[in-house]
Structure formats: structure tokens, C-alpha cells
Amino acid sequence: ASAKCCTTDFTLSEIQNQMCGRMSSSNKRAKTPQQYISHTKSFQTDLYAHDCPHIQSHKNFIDVVNANGGSFSPEYKMLDYKFTKQNTRQMFLENVLADYNRTDPSRVYFQGFEWDDLYHVAKTPFGLNTFALDKNWLAITYTRHQLEKYFQPLVDNGVTAIAPSISMLLEVDKENNLVPTLYAKVAKDLGLDIVAWTLERSDALSKGGGWYYSTISQVLRTDSDVIKVLDVLYEDVGIMAVWTDWPSVATFYANCKGILLR
């Protein structure tokens, strides 16, 4: 079975009054809508989905985080939506930017797979921190020259960081050590910060860790190897941040290393 359901299919009132927050999941063998959405992975949890959690609006979320001095990392999604002359993509970008006008731009880290969106943000007061999400898996096969040409538009347009998957940043050398990929080295050489995703979104590392660890699975033995992965990302790759679905491991590591959490 397959289904496609987007937030743009509903009004804010419908989302907040007729829906509940829950873990994102799907069951491709489902025969009913309920079966399709009721299939949380074994390594995830529905612990926080009881009593129909209320879904906040974007502005409500900003108010809560802002009141507690937190930072923001909003993502411009690649919308499956037909923009018009009356409702353009740039208007969409501006509407999102406007929601953050009452925040400190230094605490807002815009991200997106559509790099043109980030070129636009980079020209605004929120251009201090922009993360170019990258899912061009072929880029890890590029030569140094090809990578330099690939990254240069980001540098030229003021984007501050490249944000690929962990599998694009790490590889295994002849001595079975975890080491940075050429992709990671060239990005740093060009002055780009690096943000990795996603630390804990996979099954147990003792089982190989799944897609996110596909380039290094042959040297992963136990779940504690996630600390080794994180250490190489921080010390050798030089990441400025990491996305994780669960904060415990990243927080533990940061506390041990004396890294300031933002």
C-alpha cells in the first residue's frame, strides 16, 4: 500500500482540532488507512503519543522555544505544490521568514534541499546560518575537482554549511579505521561548516545500523560504536552540529567533551 498526505492538504484548524501528534511511520502491506499509519518501527516508540498530543502551529512553537532561549532549525520542504503568480515559492519563503522576525537571527539555522531557497535566505538578516541539505549520493564518488565545482555555488551565495548524511562523511580505510571522506575534506577546505544527519534514526548498530551507516557498517560491532562514530565526526570531520532523533547520546558525548550545546 502507499499513500500521500501533506500538511498543505489541511487547514491549521483541522490539524489542531481533528488530529493527534504521533511517531511518523507507515506499513506498506496495510489494507486500511489505520493499518498504514499504525506501524511504528521496533527501535522507535509510541510512548509520547498517548492522550492525543496537541499539534502546535509554527508560531506557537517559536514562542515556546524563544521563551526558553532555544535555537531553531526550520526546514524549507520540497513541496509537492503548484505555485502560482499569486502565490509564489518566494512568497512561501518570506512567510516562513516573517514568523521568525521576533527572534534573534543568530539562533535560527535555516535548512533545505532546494539550495536556491537558501541563496534567498542568505541575503536576509537570517543568512548568518544556512544549512544546505544534500541527498546527492553520487557526490561521494566525485573527484576533488568535481567536488570543488559542486560546492562553489554554496560558497558564492553565502551559504554557511553543507548537511549530508553520515554515510557521505565517513568511510573505512585499509586499517579498518573510520576516516573522513574526500567529500568532507573538500567541504572543509572551502570553508563550509558541516552538519551530519541522522545519528539515531536507525536500527541497532550491532545489526549494521541500516542506510545511515551503510559506508561503514563493516566495522560496527556494538551499539556503543555510535560514540566512536560521533567522535570521528566531531574530531576528524569537524562537524559543527549533528541531527539526532534522540538527544541522550549526543548530549552525553557533548558533556564529556565539554562542548557547548546550543
Side-chain angles (χ1 to χ4, degrees):
S2 64
K4 189 169 187 177
C5 182
C6 304
T7 54
T8 49
D9 295 332
F10 307 94
T11 66
L12 177 59
S13 178
E14 288 173 329
I15 291 174
Q16 292 194 305
N17 296 305
Q18 299 178 30
M19 302 181 188
C20 306
R22 67 179 310 279
M23 179 70 71
S24 176
S25 62
S26 63
N27 178 8
K28 294 183 179 180
R29 297 182 180 180
K31 295 182 179 180
T32 67
Q34 188 61 35
Q35 289 177 348
Y36 185 78
I37 65 172
S38 302
H39 189 69
T40 304
K41 294 181 175 63
S42 61
F43 55 89
Q44 296 178 330
T45 180
D46 287 318
L47 179 63
Y48 312 106
H50 57 81
D51 298 331
C52 189
H54 177 68
I55 301 174
Q56 292 185 322
S57 71
H58 190 222
K59 291 180 179 179
N60 292 154
F61 168 77
I62 291 174
D63 289 339
V64 171
V65 175
N66 210 29
N68 289 277
S71 297
F72 306 88
S73 186
E75 179 182 346
Y76 279 125
K77 293 292 187 180
M78 296 184 292
L79 300 179
D80 184 12
Y81 178 82
K82 293 182 179 180
F83 289 99
T84 66
K85 290 182 179 179
Q86 291 72 37
N87 185 23
T88 65
R89 176 79 181 184
Q90 186 164 335
M91 290 178 182
F92 164 68
L93 303 182
E94 292 293 343
N95 286 338
V96 176
L97 282 168
D99 285 351
Y100 288 92
N101 279 339
R102 58 191 182 279
T103 67
D104 177 0
S106 68
R107 292 192 288 113
V108 183
Y109 300 77
F110 274 96
Q111 55 172 309
F113 284 105
E114 294 285 353
W115 292 1
D116 283 343
D117 293 347
L118 300 178
Y119 300 162
H120 175 76
V121 175
K123 299 174 184 177
T124 75
F126 294 96
L128 297 173
N129 310 292
T130 43
F131 299 164
L133 297 172
D134 193 4
K135 61 176 182 178
N136 177 16
W137 323 132
L138 289 178
I140 61 174
T141 68
Y142 290 175
T143 64
R144 173 173 286 275
H145 176 71
Q146 289 173 321
L147 285 167
E148 290 172 345
K149 185 176 180 180
Y150 180 62
F151 291 137
Q152 195 60 49
L154 297 176
V155 177
D156 292 343
N157 285 279
V159 174
T160 59
I162 188 73
S165 68
I166 292 172
S167 60
M168 296 175 70
L169 295 172
L170 296 178
E171 61 186 3
V172 179
D173 68 11
K174 295 179 180 179
E175 285 74 42
N176 282 334
N177 297 312
L178 295 179
V179 295
T181 59
L182 180 63
Y183 176 103
K185 294 176 182 177
V186 173
K188 293 296 288 187
D189 289 346
L190 290 178
L192 290 169
D193 286 324
I194 297 177
V195 182
W197 49 267
T198 303
L199 192 65
E200 293 187 273
R201 195 179 177 85
S202 305
D203 206 343
L205 293 195
S206 58
K207 300 178 182 179
W211 177 82
Y212 289 94
Y213 301 89
S214 57
T215 56
I216 59 173
S217 60
Q218 66 267 40
V219 297
L220 301 178
R221 298 290 180 266
T222 68
D223 289 345
S224 63
D225 283 341
V226 69
I227 297 293
K228 296 179 182 178
V229 171
L230 189 52
D231 191 53
V232 176
L233 285 171
Y234 180 72
E235 292 289 354
D236 299 335
V237 173
I239 61 170
M240 68 164 293
V242 61
W243 274 292
T244 177
D245 281 7
W246 302 96
S248 57
V249 169
T251 302
F252 172 80
Y253 178 82
N255 287 337
C256 287
K257 302 285 286 192
I259 303 169
L260 179 64
L261 295 174
R262 23 190 164 194

